[in-house]
Amino acid sequence: MRQFPPRRIVCLTEETVETLYLLGEEDRIVGVSGYAVRPPRVRREKPRVSAFISADIPKILALQPDLVLAFSDLQADIVADMVRSGVAIHVFNQRDIAGILAMIRTLGALVGAAERADRLAAGFEARLATIAATPRPSARPRVYFEEWDEPLISGIGWVSELIEIAGGEDVLPHLRFQQAAKDRIISPDTVRAAAPDVILASWCGKKVVPDRIKQRPGWSEIPAVRNDRIVEIKSPLILQPGPAALTDGLDAIVKALWPTLPGA
């Protein structure tokens, strides 16, 4: 990176895009992931240069970025191509709430906005604490979160934590420590045995179909199915480890778990 703060940034995932907008540093962004939808104006303001595990390398290079921001081992091939092309790149790997807050603060430091980033992260911390301390009228509902349907994948770290902050109990809490999706594949019988009161689903990139969940063999006696408590949470709100998950994503979980409470 030859410029500090970097003047031309390409973001290959959407959580860094949203964070830069929240910091008022969006003018530095010259290219974004095709999945970037927050804030909505990013769709018309910034050129698309990548999907999640593929990218238009020539298009990125033509933008002459000072810095490229990436996420996780899933983008390792893109990162390798960028490094070989001589581009400065920072790869985040946040998998829990602490990691999300650290990402915000780190990104702020990278663009010379450390104090603003610290205030932003501190605001999120206070919000999480307030919601976690909210009195709930009954026992914590037992919650199963489904990231994908074929095969069944559950247990994203930050989602598991947000379920607890919202007043729920993750029925498969051990999965939060497994980073790779392949290590979070479960059997339908595991969910049936766990007997969740609520099923939250966010099938990455496609619409959740509750009827398909209800029709799974043996699932009719699961309390969540029996009581019709299957709730879709839109992917952009919960599957990106960034500000969206800590705000609208958490609010959606609270509403799903406590639908009769004021403000839910």
Side-chain angles (χ1 to χ4, degrees):
M1 190 168 69
R2 298 175 63 192
Q3 299 282 344
F4 184 84
R7 290 186 298 188
R8 302 179 63 80
I9 299 176
V10 168
C11 301
L12 300 182
T13 54
E14 61 182 315
E15 66 276 357
T16 50
V17 173
E18 183 175 13
T19 300
L20 287 170
Y21 269 87
L22 289 171
L23 292 174
E25 299 290 341
E26 67 270 20
D27 287 350
R28 300 182 189 279
I29 303 172
V30 295
V32 299
S33 159
Y35 291 98
V37 295
R38 294 172 65 93
R41 62 190 176 100
V42 71
R43 290 177 166 179
R44 62 179 184 273
E45 291 181 350
K46 307 297 180 181
R48 310 285 171 155
V49 297
S50 71
F52 188 65
I53 57 174
S54 63
D56 188 333
I57 304 298
K59 190 172 184 178
I60 293 173
L61 295 177
L63 292 170
Q64 298 182 304
D66 300 312
L67 179 65
V68 173
L69 300 172
F71 170 73
S72 87
D73 57 301
L74 295 175
Q75 295 192 325
D77 290 342
I78 303 173
V79 169
D81 288 339
M82 292 281 93
V83 171
R84 293 188 188 104
S85 298
V87 175
I89 189 159
H90 184 97
V91 185
F92 289 103
N93 214 358
Q94 70 275 16
R95 306 287 183 151
D96 53 20
I97 290 174
I100 294 172
L101 296 168
M103 177 276 291
I104 292 168
R105 290 183 165 105
T106 300
L107 182 52
L110 284 171
V111 299
E115 289 187 9
R116 268 176 286 145
D118 189 59
R119 288 196 299 270
L120 180 63
F124 288 143
E125 288 171 325
R127 184 179 198 274
L128 295 173
T130 297
I131 293 174
T134 301
R136 303 297 179 189
S138 58
R140 298 167 73 88
R142 292 167 49 77
V143 183
Y144 161 64
F145 175 73
E146 185 169 291
E147 179 192 1
W148 194 246
D149 60 331
E150 294 177 351
L152 297 187
I153 301 176
S154 184
I156 297 176
W158 65 89
V159 178
S160 179
E161 291 178 299
L162 290 172
I163 286 169
E164 292 183 352
I165 289 170
E169 176 188 348
D170 184 356
V171 296
L172 302 171
H174 62 285
L175 292 179
R176 73 170 63 171
F177 303 107
Q178 304 297 325
Q179 291 193 12
K182 65 180 178 59
D183 296 325
R184 292 185 277 108
I185 294 174
I186 56 173
S187 73
D189 286 346
T190 298
V191 182
R192 187 170 61 181
D197 301 305
V198 181
I199 293 174
L200 304 179
S202 186
W203 296 347
C204 185
K206 69 178 182 180
K207 185 173 176 57
V208 171
V209 184
D211 282 347
R212 281 170 47 188
I213 295 175
K214 294 175 183 177
Q215 291 165 9
R216 292 171 184 165
W219 280 39
S220 60
E221 290 308 307
I222 292 176
V225 175
R226 192 170 62 239
N227 298 320
D228 198 25
R229 296 195 67 184
I230 301 170
V231 181
E232 177 181 19
I233 298 182
K234 300 296 184 183
S235 299
L237 301 187
I238 202 65
L239 294 185
Q240 301 298 328
L246 306 184
T247 54
D248 294 349
L250 175 56
D251 290 349
I253 295 174
V254 170
K255 184 175 181 179
L257 302 192
W258 310 101
T260 61
L261 290 187

